[in-house]
Amino acid sequence: MAPPSATTTEYAVEETKPSNGYDKADSQPADTATHEPGLTQAGARVTMQKFPAPPKFTDKYEEREYLKGRLALAFRIFGKEGFDEGVAGHITLRDPVKPDHFWVNPFGVAFSQIKKSDLILVNHDGKVVDGGPVRLLNQAAYMIHAAIHAARPDVMCAAHSHSIYGRSFCTLGRPIDITTQDSCAFYNDLAVYNSFRGVVLVKEEGENIAKSLGNKKAVLLQNHGLLTVGQTIEATVFWFLSLEKCCRTQLMADAAAAGRGGSTIKIDDEDASFTYKAVGTPRAGWFSAKPAFDVMEAECGAEVFG
C-alpha cells in the first residue's frame, strides 16, 4: 500500500480520556512494580529483571505489520476460549499509519481461522479500503467501534463478543462487585450501558455505547455482552478474558452465598484502589496477556502470520 496522504477526521462523539490519566500503552503509577502492590520498581530490580513493556516503533508501517499479527493472534485466542457465537463478535485495531481507520475481522470468517492477511481496513465512513479476500464488514462492528475510536484517541484496540458468562451477567443490568483481587482491575473503571435496542445498526446507538463507556476500560452492555478497550491489543484482550471470568466468578459466588442465606464479602474501597494500581493499569494488562499470546503463537506457528 502506498504511503497515505494527510487526512483529517471529524469526530461525532466528544473525546474523553481514560480514568487516572492512564492513556499510554505502558502507563503505570510512578515508581511502582507491575502486579506487585507496594513494591517499587527499584526494589523489584534487586530481586528480578526489569518488567517488560510493549514494543515501540519508529516506522509506522513496521508497527502496522506487527500489530496486525498480534490482532490475528487475538482472534485465535477468542476462538480457543469459545467466545464465538455464529458470526457475532469483533476486535478492532486503530491503524498506526492512518489513525482514522481501523482493522477488523471480515464478517463470517471464524475467529479460529483468521490470519493476518484476512484482516480488513475500514475508514471512518465505513468503507473497506484494503485487506484480505473476504471484504464483508459487520455493520454492528463498524457502528460500535467507529464511535469508540473517535471518542477515545488513546484506545488502540476494542473487543466485543457474545461470551457465555459475560452475556449471562449482562442480563442483570448492573456492574460486577469488587470481591476478588482480579475484579480490582475494574475498580471505578467499568461502565454499564442500561439499554438494548437490538443489533447495533445505526450511528446513534454506537455513539450512545461510546458515551456510556466514557473514560473506562470496559462496559457491560445490558442484554448483550462485554466490551473492553485498551492502549494495546494485549491489554484489551486480557481485560475481556478477565472480565468474563469475573462475571463467571460472581454468578457462582452469588448463587453459593444465596444458597447459604448470605452474601459475598466485598473488598473495601481503600484496598480495591490500592490493588487497582498494580493490576488495573495498561502496562499490567499488556503483561498479563503475554502468556496467552505466547502460547497461541506457539500453537499456530507461521500460519497465523500468513
Side-chain angles (χ1 to χ4, degrees):
M1 180 190 294
S5 58
T7 58
T8 59
T9 306
E10 293 184 2
Y11 294 129
V13 183
E14 182 181 355
E15 294 181 3
T16 184
K17 291 185 177 181
S19 58
N20 301 321
Y22 292 155
D23 58 351
K24 305 296 181 185
D26 58 355
S27 290
Q28 186 75 13
D31 199 34
T32 62
T34 305
H35 278 70
E36 298 293 340
L39 180 65
T40 65
Q41 284 282 7
R45 292 190 189 105
V46 173
T47 58
M48 63 188 78
Q49 296 180 356
K50 184 178 180 181
F51 288 101
K56 298 182 184 298
F57 295 84
T58 56
D59 185 327
K60 292 298 182 182
Y61 288 92
E62 181 183 355
E63 182 179 10
R64 170 194 274 175
E65 293 307 310
Y66 172 79
L67 292 177
K68 286 173 63 181
R70 303 301 280 179
L71 183 59
L73 288 172
F75 283 114
R76 296 295 182 107
I77 292 170
F78 267 38
K80 183 177 181 178
E81 293 291 332
F83 291 164
D84 51 340
E85 177 71 17
V87 297
H90 19 86
I91 310 174
T92 55
L93 162 69
R94 185 190 299 276
D95 184 50
V97 178
K98 294 182 175 181
D100 59 347
H101 291 52
F102 59 81
W103 295 90
V104 66
N105 49 309
F107 201 21
V109 177
F111 288 169
S112 58
Q113 294 184 332
I114 286 180
K115 302 187 296 294
K116 175 182 171 180
S117 58
D118 290 321
L119 301 170
I120 57 177
L121 182 63
V122 181
N123 68 16
H124 62 277
D125 293 321
K127 292 183 172 59
V128 178
V129 298
D130 196 10
V134 178
R135 297 198 175 187
L136 291 176
L137 173 63
N138 183 329
Q139 191 69 10
Y142 167 69
M143 291 300 176
I144 295 172
H145 292 257
I148 289 172
H149 283 293
R152 291 283 298 276
D154 66 293
V155 165
M156 174 62 73
C157 181
H160 165 66
S161 84
H162 299 175
S163 55
I164 187 66
Y165 295 104
R167 73 189 190 203
S168 297
F169 190 84
C170 284
T171 64
L172 305 178
R174 51 160 297 182
I176 62 170
D177 293 329
I178 306 302
T179 55
T180 66
Q181 175 174 305
D182 304 288
S183 66
C184 289
F186 302 97
Y187 176 71
N188 286 339
D189 210 2
L190 174 74
V192 177
Y193 180 56
N194 293 120
S195 179
F196 178 74
R197 298 179 181 176
V199 180
V200 182
L201 298 178
V202 296
K203 182 179 180 181
E204 180 183 6
E205 186 71 355
E207 291 180 352
N208 287 340
I209 290 173
K211 289 177 182 176
S212 179
L213 172 67
N215 62 355
K216 311 300 185 187
K217 66 160 62 85
V219 58
L220 302 174
L221 306 176
Q222 183 178 296
N223 305 112
H224 192 169
L226 311 180
L227 188 148
T228 60
V229 301
Q231 288 71 35
T232 59
I233 295 169
E234 292 86 353
T236 303
V237 168
F238 181 74
W239 300 143
F240 196 101
L241 293 169
S242 185
L243 186 54
E244 169 76 359
K245 291 176 181 177
C246 286
C247 289
R248 182 179 184 179
T249 298
Q250 184 164 344
L251 290 169
M252 293 191 296
D254 282 349
R260 297 174 63 87
S263 60
T264 58
I265 298 173
K266 314 304 186 290
I267 297 174
D268 66 55
D269 289 339
E270 183 177 358
D271 289 336
S273 178
F274 179 70
T275 306
Y276 173 87
K277 294 175 182 178
V279 302
T281 65
R283 190 164 176 179
W286 175 85
F287 188 53
S288 294
K290 186 179 180 298
F293 277 78
D294 290 345
V295 168
M296 185 53 61
E297 185 171 356
E299 290 181 358
C300 294
E303 177 209 0
V304 73
F305 301 110

